[in-house]
Amino acid sequence: MEIKVVKDILEANDLVANGIKEKLGKANTFMINIMGSPGSGKTCLLERTIEGFGDKFDVGVIEGDIRTSMDSERLTAYGVPVVQINTEPFGGDCHLPATAVGRAMEGLDLVSLDLVIVENVGNLVCPAEFYIGEDRKVVVLSLTEGEDKPLKYPLMFRESYALVISKLDLLPHLDIDMELVRSNALSVNPSLKVFPLSAKTGEGVDEWLRWLGREIGPGRSGG
Amino acid sequence: MEIKVVKDILEANDLVANGIKEKLGKANTFMINIMGSPGSGKTCLLERTIEGFGDKFDVGVIEGDIRTSMDSERLTAYGVPVVQINTEPFGGDCHLPATAVGRAMEGLDLVSLDLVIVENVGNLVCPAEFYIGEDRKVVVLSLTEGEDKPLKYPLMFRESYALVISKLDLLPHLDIDMELVRSNALSVNPSLKVFPLSAKTGEGVDEWLRWLGREIGPGRSGG
């Protein structure tokens, strides 16, 4: 009985997500879904990405949080359109459901955008279960979270197309084996693209931007 | 309809949790439920707690993970009984439901234990919604997660009795205002006990142990 309900919710979600995907396709807009634990550095990655792309791509942002609009306020400083979703009125949802993303998208002028970045609710578990119509799922894992996380939270790493290993600047201060983080992630998902970087020092950010630029590129015919 | 289902699940969970609470009361055993993001330092806190209590209290552990028994293996090295729950067979549950804790508890000889520590699945959202019969909920927040987390994930901080701010040793390497972490947490829950500590250097661990010892104490008549 309980399983049936969950299945229904996931199916209803996928229907809405398929509609979003179609809408994005018509507008020729690429969308990534950024996921990761609270404090893994998702908003910092967004800031460096928007900054790094400059005039190259027109970016819009959908910010998911249970509560507060702090991240949106941070991001509007970069002169990009931002729509905030607070899941608290919906029972403090631990993930962004496709319906919420669809509603937020009405606040964006899709045809004027090359890229929509969705920052999901900070959670290494639940968001991985909900397709929101994105082209690529990206997981951000902070170096401070430990090498074992891909093995302990495998669904997130299995579902993601790329892994950003953040806070690289802290490496000298941590008892962390960077290569073990990478190999554990690859053991769960061998085709994962891995980008170690520091949003603070900028190390590794160019590789991330180059990859993302290529992903956006082929689908776009200019605009 | 959806809301009704969730309500039923929570009510069913509470019934089981009440049974656990009763069982613990009969055995005169105290139980804490340790929650926090992946990599926030929950297992390290457990290690320092077990080590720190030494012969003072008999401790048992219930380890919750979606997958792997890595944490259990780490903890058995300390000579305490450990029962692992993997939620993956139950759909990769993002929290420990009371039923799972109840089943795990059958693997512990409660009357021989003063304290049961439950390490919940790494998640700053969902575990806060599920009462498992514990005496105290404790949230672990790593300094690396940022000052804004209590405001963005308020339920966890509202439900918790104590907050451990972990990885204090990293403070010199972070752009973090420790007092703002504390005041944000207290703005959500003014009665929260706050313990900044480093499981690595040991700083602040004594204050945590003293508090926990007192909490265990009054309920126990020796044994």
Side-chain angles (χ1 to χ4, degrees), chain A residues 1-2 5 9 36-40 42-43 63 65-68 70-71 74 88 91-94 119-126 129 142 144-146 148-149 151-155 158 167 169-170 173-175 184 188 200, chain B residues 1-2 5 9 36-40 42-43 63 65-68 70-71 74 88 91-94 119-126 129 142 144-146 148-149 151-155 158 167 169-170 173-175 184 188 200:
Chain A
M1 180 61 184
E2 190 180 332
V5 173
I9 291 173
S37 301
S40 55
K42 296 183 291 302
T43 314
E63 261 304 322
D65 277 304
I66 294 176
R67 199 180 190 178
T68 80
M70 300 167 91
D71 286 349
R74 256 170 83 177
E88 201 175 44
D93 257 359
C94 50
E119 182 178 346
N120 221 306
V121 177
N123 185 329
L124 203 55
V125 189
C126 317
E129 294 175 29
S142 155
T144 62
E145 293 179 62
D148 54 350
K149 297 307 168 295
L151 305 179
K152 290 167 91 176
Y153 303 87
L155 185 68
R158 219 179 283 139
K167 308 197 186 179
D169 53 287
L170 290 177
H173 312 294
L174 303 169
D175 304 320
N184 280 344
V188 169
K200 194 172 171 182
Chain B
M1 179 60 184
E2 189 180 332
V5 172
I9 291 173
S37 300
S40 55
K42 297 182 291 301
T43 314
E63 260 305 321
D65 277 305
I66 294 175
R67 199 182 190 175
T68 80
M70 299 167 93
D71 286 349
R74 256 170 83 177
E88 200 175 44
D93 257 359
C94 50
E119 181 178 345
N120 221 306
V121 176
N123 186 329
L124 202 55
V125 189
C126 317
E129 295 175 28
S142 156
T144 62
E145 292 179 63
D148 54 349
K149 297 307 168 295
L151 305 180
K152 290 167 90 176
Y153 303 88
L155 185 68
R158 219 179 283 141
K167 307 197 187 180
D169 53 286
L170 290 177
H173 312 295
L174 303 169
D175 303 319
N184 280 343
V188 170
K200 194 172 173 181

Side-chain angles (χ1 to χ4, degrees), chain A:
Chain A
M1 180 61 184
E2 190 180 332
I3 291 166
K4 193 186 169 311
V5 173
V6 171
K7 206 174 148 233
D8 286 353
I9 291 173
L10 286 175
E11 277 173 5
N13 182 77
D14 279 0
L15 268 178
V16 178
N18 288 336
I20 291 174
K21 174 80 176 163
E22 208 184 312
K23 211 169 155 184
L24 287 164
K26 278 185 189 148
N28 199 20
T29 304
F30 195 82
M31 184 163 93
I32 60 172
N33 177 6
I34 300 196
M35 301 175 289
S37 301
S40 55
K42 296 183 291 302
T43 314
C44 280
L45 179 66
L46 257 77
E47 292 178 308
R48 290 303 84 72
T49 304
I50 295 165
E51 235 174 31
F53 278 155
D55 296 331
K56 201 177 169 192
F57 295 113
D58 291 309
V59 182
V61 174
I62 295 174
E63 261 304 322
D65 277 304
I66 294 176
R67 199 180 190 178
T68 80
S69 56
M70 300 167 91
D71 286 349
S72 291
E73 285 155 30
R74 256 170 83 177
L75 291 168
T76 44
Y78 291 83
V80 297
V82 181
V83 181
Q84 175 80 47
I85 305 171
N86 275 161
T87 66
E88 201 175 44
F90 312 102
D93 257 359
C94 50
H95 63 276
L96 289 183
T99 44
V101 176
R103 248 172 300 168
M105 204 166 265
E106 291 168 17
L108 293 174
D109 176 27
L110 279 192
V111 287
S112 74
L113 298 175
D114 303 311
L115 172 67
V116 172
I117 308 180
V118 180
E119 182 178 346
N120 221 306
V121 177
N123 185 329
L124 203 55
V125 189
C126 317
E129 294 175 29
F130 290 82
Y131 174 50
I132 56 170
E134 75 282 274
D135 293 285
R136 296 283 182 259
K137 282 182 164 70
V138 176
V139 53
V140 181
L141 179 75
S142 155
L143 259 188
T144 62
E145 293 179 62
E147 302 99 342
D148 54 350
K149 297 307 168 295
L151 305 179
K152 290 167 91 176
Y153 303 87
L155 185 68
M156 181 59 81
F157 295 83
R158 219 179 283 139
E159 289 286 320
S160 292
Y161 197 89
L163 161 64
V164 170
I165 304 178
S166 64
K167 308 197 186 179
L168 196 55
D169 53 287
L170 290 177
L171 187 57
H173 312 294
L174 303 169
D175 304 320
I176 288 278
D177 180 347
M178 170 70 197
E179 284 314 306
L180 190 53
V181 179
R182 186 197 298 267
S183 63
N184 280 344
L186 291 172
S187 77
V188 169
N189 179 355
S191 63
L192 204 57
K193 316 286 172 204
V194 184
F195 301 96
L197 59 81
S198 165
K200 194 172 171 182
T201 67
E203 188 184 351
V205 171
D206 282 351
E207 286 79 357
W208 155 255
L209 290 176
R210 257 199 301 277
W211 171 78
L212 184 53
R214 277 198 307 270
E215 292 291 314
I216 301 167
R220 296 198 50 77
S221 53

